[in-house]
């Protein structure tokens, strides 16, 4: 797909470039969603329960580190042109394909003759209180932050008259926070409900501060804190998810969670864009903070989450 887009770009036709990018986003998003679900199944297969927290923390750390590198590379590509970008991206996918081909299950157990359906996954999630609360909370998170990057881009361009380089600096600052947060996520102990509640509450002042910032420089530590807390939150969230989901339901349950996360993210972009257009840019941040309050209410009600032990057994 990337090779196809690259060839189209070499033609220099803007219309076909847009069409190829649209097709590329659709295909790569679809395949990435499937591979993410399979990745969750692999993680469940290869880790014991007492390894979930540290394993997820390590996985998220490496993922955030790679995203940080990719943002730095994106800034360089913006500066020097995209001619080198596509060959490097294609090479990256080729290498990852080779690596994935070596992944094998621990045991050669026979696969189920009648695997669970997507509908069965929905039913299982709804009956399992922990997974139900996690899904509702995930839905609200996507609704609140799905279009947040768009709001940041608008803020940089129209309020600070910033360049793509400025946006790259902000994103890199945020990703550094994500790298640190994901690494420290393995050290979280205690009641996971309280941990998630405190971290979620921290989003509110962080988000509300951004429109009051006199310069984009002050947003860098703010985005650092936002990604720092969200990645610790993510480690705890994923650990709860893995502990509550049996392996034979992992593909379906993860598919349900992904489906009910992607749609609100799209809606979020539309809603926040409309707020910027018809009300004000500042209110886009306030709306995000209001939706975070909804997440806190869900966490407050989800008492079953507090019964899960986050501490690893040594």
């Amino acid at each position: 797909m990337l090779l196809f887009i690259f060839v189209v770009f070499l033609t220099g036709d803007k219309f076909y470039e847009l069409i190829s990018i649209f097709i590329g986003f659709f295909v790569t998003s679809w395949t990435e969603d499937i591979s993410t679900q399979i990745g969750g199944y692999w993680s469940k297969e290869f880790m014991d329960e007492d390894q979930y927290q540290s394993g997820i923390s390590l996985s998220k750390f490496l993922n955030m580190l790679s995203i940080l590198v990719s943002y730095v590379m994106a800034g360089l590509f913006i500066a020097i042109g995209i001619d080198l970008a596509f060959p490097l991206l294609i090479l990256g996918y080729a290498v990852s394909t080779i690596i994935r081909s070596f992944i094998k299950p621990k045991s050669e157990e026979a696969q189920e003759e009648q695997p669970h359906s997507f509908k069965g996954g929905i039913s299982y999630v709804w009956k399992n209180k922990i997974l139900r609360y996690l899904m509702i909370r995930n839905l609200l998170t996507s609704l609140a932050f799905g279009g947040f990057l768009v709001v940041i881009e608008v803020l940089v361009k129209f309020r600070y008259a910033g360049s793509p380089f400025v946006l790259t600096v902000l994103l890199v600052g945020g990703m550094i926070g994500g790298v640190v947060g994901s690494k420290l996520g393995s050290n979280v102990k205690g009641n996971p409900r309280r941990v998630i509640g405190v971290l979620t509450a921290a989003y509110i002042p962080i988000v509300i501060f951004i429109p009051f910032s006199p310069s984009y420089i002050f947003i860098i530590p703010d985005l650092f804190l936002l990604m720092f807390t969200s990645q610790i939150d993510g480690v705890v969230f994923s650990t709860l998810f893995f502990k509550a989901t049996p392996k034979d339901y992992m593909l379906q349950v993860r598919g349900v969670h992904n489906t009910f996360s992607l749609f609100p993210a799209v809606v979020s972009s539309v809603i926040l864009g409309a707020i910027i257009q018809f009300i004000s840019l500042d209110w886009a941040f306030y709306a995000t903070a209001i939706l975070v309050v909804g997440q806190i209410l869900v966490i407050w009600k989800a008492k079953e989450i507090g019964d899960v032990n986050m501490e690893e057994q040594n």
Side-chain angles (χ1 to χ4, degrees):
M1 194 68 249
L2 286 169
L3 185 60
F4 165 70
I5 297 174
F6 183 45
V7 172
V8 173
F9 263 76
L10 293 178
T11 67
D13 189 302
K14 300 297 183 184
F15 175 76
Y16 289 120
E17 286 176 6
L18 289 174
I19 295 298
S20 67
I21 289 174
F22 177 81
I23 296 173
F25 268 119
F26 179 85
V27 173
T28 53
S29 297
W30 178 69
T31 55
E32 188 64 25
D33 186 51
I34 293 175
S35 62
T36 298
Q37 294 179 42
I38 295 173
Y41 182 86
W42 281 344
S43 298
K44 188 78 176 181
E45 166 77 10
F46 298 140
M47 291 190 296
D48 296 326
E49 186 170 345
D50 61 346
Q51 298 174 323
Y52 289 161
Q53 188 174 351
S54 59
I56 290 168
S57 175
L58 176 61
S59 176
K60 287 184 177 294
F61 168 74
L62 295 174
N63 184 56
M64 293 302 299
L65 190 62
S66 65
I67 293 175
L68 172 61
V69 173
S70 73
Y71 278 146
V72 174
M73 291 175 62
L76 294 175
F77 291 145
I78 290 173
I80 65 177
I82 64 168
D83 293 345
L84 187 61
F86 279 101
L88 284 176
L89 287 172
I90 292 168
L91 177 62
Y93 272 101
V95 171
S96 70
T97 300
I98 295 173
I99 293 173
R100 291 185 187 202
S101 68
F102 288 101
I103 298 176
K104 305 294 182 183
K106 288 192 299 183
S107 59
E108 298 295 335
E109 296 178 0
Q111 298 297 315
E112 296 179 60
E113 294 182 2
Q114 295 182 337
H116 303 295
S117 64
F118 181 78
K119 183 178 179 181
I122 294 177
S123 176
Y124 187 86
V125 168
W126 194 252
K127 292 176 181 177
N128 186 308
K129 288 187 176 181
I130 292 178
L131 289 176
R132 187 200 313 168
Y133 286 129
L134 291 179
M135 185 180 70
I136 295 172
R137 196 267 174 143
N138 206 28
L139 188 152
L140 290 172
T141 300
S142 296
L143 193 60
F145 291 100
F148 196 71
L149 181 57
V150 174
V151 180
I152 294 296
E153 291 174 350
V154 173
L155 180 75
V156 170
K157 182 175 181 179
F158 292 100
R159 181 162 296 179
Y160 302 121
S163 64
F165 175 77
V166 171
L167 181 61
T168 301
V169 170
L170 291 177
L171 294 177
V172 168
M175 289 305 109
I176 292 175
V179 170
V180 177
S182 57
K183 187 68 175 70
L184 294 179
S186 62
N187 298 325
V188 173
K189 307 298 180 185
N191 188 316
R193 178 169 167 253
R194 293 175 185 171
V195 172
I196 294 178
V198 171
L199 292 173
T200 304
Y203 297 155
I204 297 176
I206 292 173
V207 169
I208 290 179
F209 169 80
I210 294 177
F212 292 98
S213 175
S215 168
Y216 74 87
I217 296 296
F218 296 100
I219 301 178
I220 297 175
D222 214 50
L223 292 181
F224 176 94
L225 289 173
L226 183 62
M227 289 301 297
F228 175 81
T229 53
S230 68
Q231 286 304 302
I232 296 177
D233 185 346
V235 171
V236 178
F237 181 96
S238 296
T239 302
L240 292 170
F241 179 87
F242 270 72
K243 288 193 173 188
T245 308
K247 188 177 71 173
D248 61 332
Y249 269 101
M250 180 57 72
L251 290 173
Q252 290 73 25
V253 169
R254 200 174 180 95
V256 170
H257 271 253
N258 288 353
T259 299
F260 285 94
S261 297
L262 290 174
F263 181 71
V266 175
V267 174
S268 173
S269 298
V270 175
I271 292 175
L272 293 178
I275 291 174
I276 293 172
Q277 181 69 36
F278 299 110
I279 304 178
S280 72
L281 176 59
D282 291 357
W283 263 99
F285 292 97
Y286 304 153
T288 298
I290 291 171
L291 287 169
V292 171
V293 174
Q295 297 178 47
I296 295 175
L297 293 176
V298 172
I299 296 166
W300 176 78
K301 186 175 177 58
K303 294 181 173 57
E304 290 79 4
I305 291 177
D307 297 330
V308 180
N309 181 21
M310 290 296 298
E311 296 187 20
E312 299 172 22
Q313 304 298 318
N314 296 317

